[in-house]
Amino acid sequence: SGHMDLNLQPGELVRVCDPEKIFETLNRSGKNRGLWFDRGMLNYCKRWHRVLSRVDNIIDDASGRMRLMKTPCIVLEGVDASGEHVRFLAQHDYPFWREAWLERVDPGAQPDASIPNRGLHPGSGQR
């Protein structure tokens, strides 16, 4: 589909894409290049978040070895795995996002008033 990698950097503001757009990137088993999109993540669609980090390497659970990901994952600030709907990521603190599921927000833009998202101030994430 000629998806452009956004090359998102920590601190950038992004909006999670609409579900329809995300579903277009998934194969029949609900994955994008091996990364699972869980229904619980739909709660974050259309919301704004800051990029916490880029993840280029992950530990392969099966082998315990570090492996380079062909497509980096993005971790969003304030989207943590506390809560029922992200049990599927028990081994991780945060769900991983593909850049295909995110869009960069113009820093000058105003958040959509209909979106109750107060999680944009830094330091709100518990470790």
Side-chain angles (χ1 to χ4, degrees):
S1 62
H3 167 63
M4 290 289 295
D5 279 322
L6 298 176
N7 193 28
L8 292 168
Q9 299 302 317
E12 285 200 80
L13 198 55
V14 295
R15 177 182 178 274
V16 181
C17 293
D18 296 3
E20 301 74 34
K21 190 169 176 196
I22 291 172
F23 289 141
E24 283 171 19
T25 72
L26 304 178
N27 63 16
R28 270 183 302 208
S29 39
K31 292 185 175 183
N32 174 293
R33 301 180 207 172
L35 186 67
W36 177 248
F37 185 85
D38 185 83
R39 285 180 193 283
M41 292 163 77
L42 287 171
N43 296 341
Y44 300 108
C45 285
K46 307 186 188 183
R47 292 194 175 195
W48 293 31
H49 293 281
R50 284 196 194 283
V51 175
L52 188 65
S53 61
R54 290 174 69 83
V55 179
D56 295 295
N57 301 292
I58 57 169
I59 302 282
D60 187 317
D61 289 331
S63 66
R65 288 206 187 92
M66 185 74 98
R67 62 190 180 97
L68 186 67
M69 305 183 80
K70 293 188 195 72
T71 313
C73 288
I74 303 298
V75 176
L76 300 179
E77 200 175 280
V79 180
D80 63 4
S82 63
E84 292 267 290
H85 56 273
V86 279
R87 256 197 320 244
F88 68 104
L89 276 176
Q91 76 274 31
H92 297 295
D93 288 331
Y94 292 94
F96 289 143
W97 301 81
R98 287 280 188 233
E99 290 193 334
W101 303 341
L102 304 169
E103 52 198 22
R104 189 178 264 119
V105 171
D106 176 1
Q110 291 303 309
D112 183 332
S114 68
I115 301 171
N117 183 6
R118 297 281 168 267
L120 294 181
H121 55 90
S124 58
Q126 281 90 34
R127 290 306 299 146

